[in-house]
Amino acid sequence: MNDSTSALADPVTDDLPTQPFAGASPYDTYVHASVLNTLQHPLTEAPDEMGFLVTTQVMELWFTLIAHEWRTARTAFAKDEAHAAMDALVRSRRALTALNGAWAPIAALTPAQFNGFRAAFGKASGFQSAMYRHLEFLLGDKSAGLLRAHRGDPAVHEALAETYREPSLYDEVLAYLHRQGLPVPRHVRERDVTTPYTSDPGVTEVWRRVYAGPRHHPHLALGELLTDVAELVTRWRFEHVLVVRRAMGAKPGSAGSAGLAWLERRAARPVFPELWEVRGDV
């Protein structure tokens, strides 16, 4: 091989950042990729288990980001900082879109493929996800029973209990709208926030006023942004139903739940219900 051939075979590296790192790279120190990439431990030789593990872990990271954004929005509404709250909701909408896309690697699992590793994870089940429970509590879907399920892990239980005791994102939205002059009923504003939020005719009337008003009013923009969030959450739930239906049909869930039937009931629960009810009145 002559010198000219060798020169052609070697890429030019003068403009590449090739300086050695003293220890871990700054990228890894910040992102902790080396830690993330060691957290996948398949229990079988099934070729689809790795995709199932990574998909589930990626969803947990999106749950964490969405919970962060909803807490940021909730705090901003409590301070009447509507612009900051809306910005956080917009960021959460982007994260929810990415979360919904995360189903793709496992969306077409056949029963045989799923059964190749299902028995290995025993009684583990997605409904045991504490971070997903934070999301539901932040949406106002509180459950003392699902909180109690985490008592065996004190740190996780206490963090979740704090979210359980606090007002939901929607509670703070309604309190904000009341301070803005809209007649949110007192019994809604003073309700026990540890109970599940249910639709209220007085709140429906508030949103009816908003949607009957100017098309470019900030309160209407808020209503539509909340509807975006609600729709994306609902789409994620129904996508979950479809993935389970395709992979295992109506078999009982791994943790003893009714499986598909339980997921279908949960998916049917409306998020921010009055925002859906009022649409038929506009």
Side-chain angles (χ1 to χ4, degrees):
M1 180 180 296
N2 58 39
D3 291 343
S4 61
T5 304
S6 177
L8 289 173
D10 295 330
V12 177
T13 59
D14 291 344
D15 61 344
L16 297 179
T18 57
Q19 183 177 356
F21 307 114
S25 71
Y27 172 83
D28 194 63
T29 299
Y30 182 68
V31 176
H32 300 293
S34 60
V35 175
L36 290 173
N37 293 331
T38 63
L39 299 179
Q40 298 76 43
H41 303 288
L43 300 177
T44 72
E45 296 298 320
D48 296 287
E49 187 181 6
M50 187 66 164
F52 184 83
L53 270 173
V54 171
T55 295
T56 304
Q57 291 174 346
V58 166
M59 285 189 177
E60 284 290 328
L61 292 174
W62 286 126
F63 294 162
T64 300
L65 176 57
I66 294 163
H68 168 76
E69 298 295 5
W70 287 351
R71 288 193 176 98
T72 300
R74 184 183 61 181
T75 298
F77 279 123
K79 296 178 179 179
D80 293 334
E81 297 173 354
H83 291 298
M86 296 279 280
D87 285 347
L89 289 176
V90 168
R91 293 192 299 269
S92 81
R93 181 175 61 189
R94 297 184 189 124
L96 282 161
T97 300
L99 170 66
N100 286 357
W103 284 115
I106 63 171
L109 281 176
T110 67
Q113 289 168 335
F114 187 46
N115 288 338
F117 60 89
R118 186 190 182 205
F121 57 72
K123 294 184 178 181
S125 173
F127 88 81
Q128 297 163 354
S129 166
M131 191 53 65
Y132 181 69
R133 201 61 54 208
H134 279 281
L135 294 187
E136 292 211 322
F137 286 2
L138 282 163
L139 290 174
D141 195 358
K142 305 290 183 75
S143 169
L146 290 173
L147 171 62
R148 285 194 298 270
H150 292 275
R151 285 182 300 182
D153 190 332
V156 169
H157 180 265
E158 180 50 37
L160 190 56
E162 184 175 355
T163 305
Y164 174 78
R165 294 188 295 261
E166 293 172 338
S168 71
L169 168 63
Y170 197 47
D171 287 324
E172 291 293 3
V173 167
L174 296 178
Y176 164 77
L177 290 176
H178 181 74
R179 292 191 299 274
Q180 292 292 303
L182 289 164
V184 177
R186 182 174 180 177
H187 65 268
V188 173
R189 291 181 283 114
E190 297 180 356
R191 76 181 194 89
D192 179 359
V193 298
T194 66
T195 60
Y197 184 87
T198 57
S199 178
D200 185 89
V203 174
T204 303
E205 178 58 32
V206 166
W207 286 117
R208 186 177 292 115
R209 291 192 185 191
V210 169
Y211 276 81
R215 292 186 179 183
H216 301 290
H217 195 283
H219 294 161
L220 179 57
L222 171 58
E224 285 299 279
L225 184 50
L226 290 171
T227 303
D228 287 343
V229 168
E231 179 178 328
L232 287 165
V233 170
T234 302
R235 287 183 183 277
W236 186 89
R237 290 173 175 175
F238 276 108
E239 189 71 20
H240 192 183
V241 168
L242 290 174
V243 170
V244 170
R245 183 181 292 159
R246 184 162 181 165
M248 58 177 272
K251 292 178 182 178
S254 53
S257 75
L260 183 63
W262 189 85
L263 289 175
E264 288 173 335
R265 289 195 299 271
R266 299 293 296 182
R269 297 163 74 98
V271 179
F272 312 146
E274 298 91 351
L275 280 165
W276 299 102
E277 294 162 11
V278 76
R279 307 186 94 78
D281 301 331
V282 178

